[in-house]
Amino acid sequence: MRYISTRGEAPDLGFADVLLTGLARDGGLYVPADWPRFTADEWRAMRGLPYDELATRVCLPFLGDSIDEDAFADMASEAYAGFDHDAVAPLKQLNADSWLMELFHGPTLSFKDYALQLVGRMFDHVLKQRGERICIVGATSGDTGSAAIEACRDRDSIDIFILHPFERCSEVQRRQMTTVAAMNVHNVAVDGTFDDCQDLVKAMFNDAAFRDTMNLSAVNSINWARIMCQIVYYVHAALSLGAPDREVSFAVPTGNFGNVFAGYAARQMGLPIQQLIVGSNENDILARFLQDNDMSVHGVVPTHSPSMDIQVSSNFERLLFELMDRDGPATAHLMQTFRASGKLEIDDDRWHRALQLFSGHRLSNEETLAAMKAVLESTGELVDPHSAIGIVAGWTRRTETDVPLVVAATAHPAKFPDAVEAATGIRPALPPFLSDLYDREERYIRLPNSLNAIQDHVRTASNRAGGV
Ligand SMILES: *Cc1c(COP(=O)(O)O)cnc(C)c1O
């Protein structure tokens, strides 16, 4: 299996290099050169498999000779063993024809654990094979930082530095990062905003000498390996509801377009998915694109669903590449014009092709609160703001009620207790394994918004010289 860049200029790579590289050298994103496909009989044979075994079946065609089957199976088994539900990604019936796919049973309570728990192990595996160490740096305002830290903690070949804006994260989210006691985990509270943190990370990557000596790497959502791991729960849900002998639709609260793109990938692999419904908050560029072919950048506004407060969805480029019939230079040209003008122009034919599968729906902040309340009243489920957007988007935009609708519940309600309480009057409790989160000791270093200060800290705190 080879991977090609969406911009057509970077070298083709195998899975292990794609895993470690993240962004392609031409600025594009890696995608499989061909979509592997399973036959109906092959899908049927996967019904009823435990989640980790299903993950191995689904991911194997993507791995090439980078990771062998037994090693991958062991990593998958370990990755999901600690999840707090035996089904890993259980389906809960909401009403006669729609189901909630609970993706919050991992250690940090968001769907990001489903990919990152496996990706952290794959990083370590490949790095050990190569005798290398890496230093992961990232900025976070929310769920990614904690999921990445949990995925990389105690891995021998990795140091991880996560920058968060001092006193500007929610307490649950900060504590999920700062209470992890592991030698290779380094939390930095920056005197600045989330944008300052992101700029510092970018500046570290742009400092070529620093990047090379520290062997910097990232685990952001453009990494193909994350998408690959997310395909598994689409397959898991669809098979449970009768695929491949019956179509299934999905609704997904969407920010960077990574999660829903994994649904697209599952469909390319032959899974009969009828609709992929994208839920947006007030940062609604994707919903505007799908409704009016209007993909123009507005400013980011803060909402009750902060993990979707994104204007430019980085993974959208992967869909664009497909809509452009996999023409790299044409995709590169569109992306460059988009960056320069803030507006993506795509002809009506291609746009209509996107609409055969995707539809989008936007909820305002008020509608998001109303959605949580309405879902609780009509189904008895207390859901987080992101999941509520997915549910109402799905209910509003589905075209056929005899096709089962599966909604991705991307976070546990206790990750967003203030919004849930404002909407429903109920303050959701953390699951038992996190119930002492507020009593755990926090560890982080507070640093000024200064590249020099941060780089000095990364140099001295990382374990790369000798290791522990
Ligand atoms: C990250 C996140 C999203 C957005 O997922 P994308 O893959 O970026 O579209 C939605 N909900 C929650 C809770 C998240 O943490």
Side-chain angles (χ1 to χ4, degrees):
M1 167 64 76
R2 303 297 291 173
Y3 291 84
I4 56 175
S5 164
T6 50
R7 301 202 186 172
E9 298 281 338
D12 296 4
L13 298 178
F15 179 79
D17 287 316
V18 166
L19 172 74
L20 297 180
T21 306
L23 199 67
R25 241 192 288 165
D26 57 7
L29 277 61
Y30 277 106
V31 288
D34 299 291
W35 292 109
R37 280 184 80 85
F38 291 114
T39 64
D41 279 341
E42 286 169 329
W43 289 124
R44 282 185 205 106
M46 295 183 209
R47 279 189 189 145
L49 285 179
Y51 192 87
D52 61 312
E53 287 177 34
L54 183 68
T56 305
R57 292 277 191 99
V58 170
C59 295
L60 202 59
F62 291 109
L63 303 177
D65 50 17
S66 291
I67 300 177
D68 69 47
E69 180 170 353
D70 289 346
F72 188 87
D74 287 346
M75 288 188 269
S77 157
E78 265 185 45
Y80 301 114
F83 281 47
D84 76 347
H85 195 295
D86 284 347
V88 181
L91 290 180
K92 202 178 231 182
Q93 189 150 8
L94 283 177
N95 58 23
D97 45 34
S98 57
W99 282 260
L100 206 57
M101 171 166 68
E102 292 184 350
L103 299 177
F104 49 70
H105 292 285
T108 71
L109 313 182
S110 87
F111 83 92
K112 292 184 172 74
D113 291 325
Y114 287 70
L116 282 167
Q117 280 296 312
L118 198 40
V119 168
R121 287 171 168 84
M122 288 193 277
F123 261 96
D124 209 35
H125 178 83
V126 169
L127 288 165
K128 276 186 181 142
Q129 276 178 340
R130 298 183 172 195
E132 291 173 15
R133 284 186 67 81
I134 52 164
C135 179
I136 291 175
V137 294
T140 193
S141 60
D143 300 334
T144 310
S146 57
I149 285 173
E150 276 296 337
C152 296
R153 67 182 296 171
D154 300 318
R155 309 243 162 264
D156 303 332
S157 316
I158 302 174
D159 274 295
I160 180 164
F161 290 81
I162 296 291
L163 279 48
H164 70 264
F166 181 65
E167 289 186 337
R168 288 173 200 241
C169 282
S170 85
E171 186 166 10
V172 185
Q173 289 179 324
R174 186 190 73 238
R175 284 181 167 276
Q176 283 188 308
M177 299 190 284
T178 57
T179 61
V180 174
M183 287 294 290
N184 68 332
V185 169
H186 312 276
N187 280 288
V188 181
V190 175
D191 281 321
T193 62
F194 170 61
D195 286 338
D196 295 329
C197 295
Q198 260 189 323
D199 289 343
L200 287 163
V201 169
K202 270 189 214 146
M204 282 192 266
F205 275 98
N206 287 335
D207 178 343
F210 183 76
R211 185 185 62 211
D212 292 344
T213 43
M214 298 308 303
N215 222 353
L216 289 196
S217 190
V219 285
N220 47 22
S221 82
I222 50 99
N223 197 306
W224 164 257
R226 283 182 63 177
I227 310 262
M228 174 189 79
C229 298
Q230 290 167 189
I231 297 170
V232 179
Y233 46 70
Y234 287 91
V235 174
H236 189 253
L239 295 182
S240 310
L241 294 171
D245 303 300
R246 185 189 193 196
E247 289 191 302
V248 179
S249 291
F250 289 89
V252 186
T254 301
N256 257 325
F257 208 76
N259 197 0
V260 76
F261 188 79
Y264 173 85
R267 188 167 187 273
Q268 293 304 99
M269 296 172 77
L271 198 70
I273 295 178
Q274 192 201 46
Q275 276 186 284
L276 287 171
I277 299 161
V278 168
S280 295
N281 62 27
E282 294 180 3
N283 301 290
D284 60 351
I285 189 165
L286 290 168
R288 281 187 282 118
F289 169 70
L290 291 167
Q291 276 165 34
D292 305 318
N293 197 2
D294 165 21
M295 191 137 186
S296 54
V297 177
H298 300 175
V300 178
V301 296
T303 69
H304 293 309
S305 46
S307 301
M308 292 156 46
D309 290 348
I310 288 166
Q311 262 307 322
V312 177
S313 304
S314 43
N315 275 292
F316 184 77
E317 182 167 341
R318 289 190 158 107
L319 180 67
L320 189 63
F321 180 63
E322 300 275 302
L323 294 174
M324 300 309 290
D325 301 310
R326 300 196 140 215
D327 180 339
T331 308
H333 178 71
L334 277 177
M335 288 309 295
Q336 276 141 16
T337 328
F338 182 45
R339 292 280 163 201
S341 68
K343 189 156 170 43
L344 185 86
E345 306 277 358
I346 172 166
D347 63 67
D348 270 0
D349 270 5
R350 295 183 205 270
W351 179 62
H352 279 293
R353 247 197 286 153
L355 298 192
Q356 285 168 15
L357 178 60
F358 289 95
S359 40
H361 188 72
R362 164 206 205 260
L363 269 72
S364 68
N365 251 340
E366 252 169 65
E367 288 167 330
T368 304
L369 293 177
M372 283 186 273
K373 189 160 186 272
V375 169
L376 180 65
E377 281 167 2
S378 70
T379 71
E381 281 300 314
L382 192 64
V383 297
D384 99 286
H386 305 78
S387 308
I389 289 174
I391 294 169
V392 170
W395 284 350
T396 312
R397 296 284 162 177
R398 71 191 307 191
T399 52
E400 285 172 48
T401 49
D402 55 352
V403 173
L405 174 74
V406 177
V407 184
T410 51
H412 191 286
K415 274 203 110 154
F416 303 96
D418 297 337
V420 174
E421 188 174 17
T424 64
I426 301 172
R427 194 157 184 91
L430 286 164
F433 72 93
L434 278 176
S435 58
D436 65 342
L437 186 67
Y438 288 90
D439 308 322
R440 294 183 195 168
E441 188 194 341
E442 290 193 77
R443 297 205 309 185
Y444 60 88
I445 181 168
R446 183 175 164 191
L447 290 175
N449 177 14
S450 139
L451 181 60
N452 269 334
I454 310 271
Q455 284 182 321
D456 278 346
H457 175 64
V458 172
R459 271 193 213 98
T460 49
S462 79
N463 295 319
R464 54 186 290 281
V468 277

